[in-house]
Amino acid sequence: MLTNKNILLGVCGSIASYKSASLTRLLIKEGANVKIVMTSDACNFITPLTLSTLSKNLILTEYFDPKTGSWNNHVELGLWADILIIAPATANTLAKFANGLCDNLLAAVYLSAKCPVYLAPAMDLDMWKHPATQKNIDSLISNGNFMIKPAYGELASGLTGEGRMAEPEEIIELISQELKKKLPLAGKKALVTAGPTYEAIDPVRFIGNHSSGKMGYAIAEELSALGASVTLISGPSALKLSDKSILRIDVTSAKEMLEASLSSFKGTDISILSAAVADYRPKEVSTLKIKKDSSSFELELVKTSDILTTLGQKKKSGQILVGFALETDNEVANAIKKLEKKNLDFIVLNSLNDEGGAFKNDNNKITIIDRDHHKESFDLKPKNEVAVDICKKVLDLLQ
Ligand code: CTP
């Protein structure tokens, strides 16, 4: 959620200032761009050198920087930020923010920022409980700031109570969750199938296909980036997900994929089935390795269940179901037949006649056909960009 986000971290003077070092490190690890404004008191608790090393940026403390001879423009800083985090936020700084005071760079940046502001207070128990502080907190919340409540525990004063700054990991998690809530697919459940299936012949052999799973994995990542909570049911694939919030269920055969899909489908808002499921499986699976005793060998195959058709029959109004069609001839007509037969909201057509697309490749060239048989063809592009086009179509349907 924080990748490539511009995060302005305000650090106030508190015994909890040391936690801002871990917070900075975690933000950088998440892929954020971090700039830091410290109050002069914060510099007594933790050195600017520590935070500049971790953030890979110069630390700003004053309006005018005598070292560089430049003006630290609070308006530009405020506008640069996608998110402003004040951690730790002291009683003094909260009071300044609540009352619009502007006697240091951090307070001026706060007043200039138009982005969401997250405040992580840290102070002693009695300071936190004081009606003046609580009044400031109420006023800051009603002004649209997000309060990351301090935790209960042992405080630097020796007292025990509420006042410890939230841990950096919690701050990151909370902010990520808040950002996710604002995404267009927030609150939606999505199911994606990807990869091939392997149908066992004996303990060492199987019938499979060339699918890499790249298209399905890219769709799962894109749906999650749009805020959906995603379950990915994957056939055998060496691919790894970069989004750790996606629930990945590994399966091998068409039967296992069907069972996993059926148990996830109820309550799913969006299902995109991109797996290259085997259409046939060996009728009998030998428990022992089959020996090459005879000059020829026949294998009886039986049909697997069509997962997409099964879900299409169970689909309730409001559930979006999307399938793929991989064709070599009569592409559009065959895709439309599948769209109708499998009760889909739209179908993504891949043609094996388009060079550089579909199986194993990093690129794909698709045509989306909807229920009105309206066709939209896209250029050959990387699969993650194809995933964006497919998910845009889903967003259009939801609107
Ligand atoms: N599919 C499925 N279960 C199967 C076979 C296919 O869910 N047993 C899904 C695929 O995930 C894809 C769509 O059906 O979304 C179309 O797959 P495709 O292989 O193009 O077509 P089939 O329906 O298998 O028909 P055919 O192989 O005869 O073209």
Side-chain angles (χ1 to χ4, degrees):
M1 291 305 302
L2 297 171
T3 309
N4 293 327
K5 288 265 186 304
N6 290 340
I7 301 206
L8 194 55
L9 173 63
V11 182
C12 305
S14 153
I15 190 65
S17 304
Y18 76 94
K19 291 187 182 177
S20 54
S22 313
L23 182 57
T24 306
R25 200 179 60 84
L26 290 175
L27 288 168
I28 294 288
K29 238 176 120 184
E30 293 281 323
N33 309 311
V34 183
K35 288 189 182 176
I36 299 178
V37 178
M38 294 174 79
T39 64
S40 52
D41 275 345
C43 301
N44 293 323
F45 284 93
I46 180 166
T47 70
L49 179 63
T50 304
L51 295 184
S52 71
T53 310
L54 290 169
S55 66
K56 303 178 176 77
N57 269 316
L58 283 176
I59 301 303
L60 312 168
T61 50
E62 307 290 342
Y63 287 105
F64 178 71
D65 187 343
K67 272 184 234 131
T68 59
S70 61
W71 169 251
N72 293 321
N73 189 329
H74 56 278
V75 177
E76 260 176 31
L77 275 170
L79 296 180
W80 172 84
D82 296 318
I83 300 166
L84 175 58
I85 308 172
I86 313 294
T90 54
N92 183 37
T93 291
L94 293 174
K96 284 182 191 180
F97 285 6
N99 293 287
L101 296 186
C102 190
D103 63 350
N104 65 23
L105 181 63
L106 182 58
V109 165
Y110 167 74
L111 286 183
S112 308
K114 290 188 173 163
C115 60
V117 179
Y118 294 85
L119 303 164
M123 64 196 76
D124 201 51
L125 165 71
D126 295 315
M127 295 172 80
W128 172 250
K129 278 189 164 171
H130 197 284
T133 304
Q134 287 304 314
K135 200 168 138 217
N136 290 333
I137 299 278
D138 290 346
S139 145
L140 285 164
I141 292 172
S142 66
N143 285 345
N145 298 286
F146 193 95
M147 204 60 64
I148 303 176
K149 278 191 79 184
Y152 183 95
E154 197 183 317
L155 302 165
S157 62
L159 296 174
T160 299
E162 226 178 348
R164 285 164 68 107
M165 187 181 108
E167 293 306 319
E169 290 80 1
E170 288 164 10
I171 294 176
I172 301 262
E173 178 59 26
L174 212 136
I175 294 176
S176 300
Q177 277 173 15
E178 283 305 308
L179 291 178
K180 225 170 175 185
K181 279 186 203 161
K182 294 184 187 139
L183 293 171
L185 293 182
K188 301 280 182 209
K189 261 183 80 183
L191 165 67
V192 179
T193 66
T197 62
Y198 289 175
E199 308 304 323
I201 297 171
D202 69 9
V204 290
R205 303 177 182 96
F206 59 84
I207 298 173
N209 61 64
H210 291 303
S211 169
S212 62
K214 283 178 189 161
M215 195 62 251
Y217 277 62
I219 293 169
E221 300 264 9
E222 178 60 17
L223 288 169
S224 181
L226 290 169
S229 100
V230 181
T231 300
L232 171 70
I233 301 171
S234 175
S237 168
L239 296 177
K240 288 196 166 48
L241 286 164
S242 47
D243 186 333
K244 300 282 171 274
S245 71
I246 298 172
L247 173 66
R248 172 175 165 167
I249 301 173
D250 287 311
V251 295
T252 304
S253 64
K255 186 168 176 280
E256 286 171 12
M257 190 172 273
L258 172 72
E259 281 161 9
S261 301
L262 279 173
S263 56
S264 297
F265 186 60
K266 201 171 166 222
T268 297
D269 303 285
I270 305 151
S271 300
I272 304 184
L273 273 57
S274 69
V277 188
D279 292 327
Y280 292 91
R281 64 175 171 80
K283 189 174 180 194
E284 306 292 343
V285 181
S286 169
T287 51
L288 300 175
K289 188 181 170 205
I290 299 167
K291 292 285 178 197
K292 53 174 190 297
D293 295 334
S294 50
S295 60
S296 67
F297 174 70
E298 277 184 16
L299 196 59
E300 189 180 350
L301 301 178
V302 290
K303 245 191 182 167
T304 57
S305 304
D306 191 299
I307 305 169
L308 196 51
T309 305
T310 312
L311 298 192
Q313 284 159 356
K314 292 186 178 292
K315 191 175 86 168
K316 297 251 171 11
S317 115
Q319 279 185 303
I320 293 178
L321 184 60
V322 178
F324 276 68
L326 180 64
E327 305 294 340
T328 53
D329 55 297
N330 292 325
E331 288 100 329
V332 171
N334 283 338
I336 289 175
K337 257 192 227 157
K338 284 179 191 171
L339 170 90
E340 299 293 350
K341 191 171 151 214
K342 303 191 186 196
N343 190 20
L344 309 180
D345 293 277
F346 66 88
I347 192 155
V348 182
L349 167 64
N350 292 132
S351 168
L352 276 183
N353 297 321
D354 290 324
E355 267 180 42
F359 269 3
K360 289 200 280 191
N361 287 310
D362 288 332
N363 299 322
N364 202 359
K365 184 168 177 358
I366 61 160
T367 298
I368 291 180
I369 307 173
D370 66 19
R371 289 206 69 82
D372 301 326
H373 301 179
H374 173 262
K375 296 190 287 295
E376 194 177 356
S377 294
F378 296 83
D379 292 336
L380 180 73
K381 50 175 95 169
K383 283 186 173 166
N384 58 336
E385 290 176 26
V386 175
V388 172
D389 293 332
I390 294 170
C391 292
K392 264 193 196 144
K393 182 75 187 171
V394 170
L395 288 174
D396 287 349
L397 284 184
L398 286 168
Q399 273 155 19

